[in-house]
Amino acid sequence: MKIESVATARLLLLPLTVAEGERVVAREPLPGERWAEGYPGVGDLASVGAFLRRCAEDGDPGAFRTYRIRVAESGLVVGGIGFHGPPGPDGAVTVGYGIVPGERGKGYASEALAAVIGVARSAGAAVLRGDADPANAASHRVMERAGMRRVAEEGGLVRFLVELEP
């Protein structure tokens, strides 16, 4: 299934394919492809690995996949964002994201999350969830800027969500 890239004001969210996921896990960029220092990080490797397992078990996830975050102007891949899977029976999806340390604080995560909320809405999800460590105030701000609201603190995580209207 061909999923289009998602453009924002400064970013391009590149939908991961299995072949690209395998390259990320092997830490092998294509010739001319620019990865920021620290990419892929531990979180990227975990999310890409989960994406590859879901593809092997359930097939292509359509829009509910992992995306690499690339800065449009420089072409530098600075992190990733993606869904933990397709919507559950309640129509909810969970998102996770990460930006390499040297590129944080530039608003990339907020911009990417706003775009992914649009992807989830367009693909028919009813709710988008996210969570963060209680000490990760920067991630709390990212979700709040994207219109998500704090709904709970449980299991050692702060939970956020946004209801998506068609």
Side-chain angles (χ1 to χ4, degrees), residues 32-75:
E33 189 175 41
R34 299 184 57 227
W35 289 0
E37 184 176 334
Y39 181 83
V42 172
D44 297 301
L45 295 172
S47 67
V48 171
F51 166 78
L52 293 172
R53 284 188 298 282
R54 280 194 310 274
C55 287
E57 294 169 7
D58 303 325
D60 191 291
F64 298 105
R65 65 192 326 107
T66 299
Y67 298 79
R68 288 174 295 146
I69 302 170
R70 186 171 76 195
V71 178
E73 186 175 318
S74 68

Side-chain angles (χ1 to χ4, degrees), residues 18-133:
V18 169
E20 290 162 339
E22 289 169 345
R23 279 191 312 97
V24 170
V25 169
R27 294 185 165 118
E28 296 174 353
L30 289 173
E33 189 175 41
R34 299 184 57 227
W35 289 0
E37 184 176 334
Y39 181 83
V42 172
D44 297 301
L45 295 172
S47 67
V48 171
F51 166 78
L52 293 172
R53 284 188 298 282
R54 280 194 310 274
C55 287
E57 294 169 7
D58 303 325
D60 191 291
F64 298 105
R65 65 192 326 107
T66 299
Y67 298 79
R68 288 174 295 146
I69 302 170
R70 186 171 76 195
V71 178
E73 186 175 318
S74 68
L76 191 65
V77 176
V78 297
I81 189 165
F83 301 98
H84 293 194
D90 61 353
V93 293
T94 301
V95 68
Y97 53 85
I99 303 292
V100 298
E103 298 296 323
R104 292 179 185 158
K106 298 178 181 179
Y108 296 151
S110 297
E111 194 170 323
L113 181 56
V116 165
I117 288 171
V119 168
R121 181 179 289 117
S122 295
V127 173
L128 184 124
R129 295 184 178 127
D131 45 58
D133 184 278

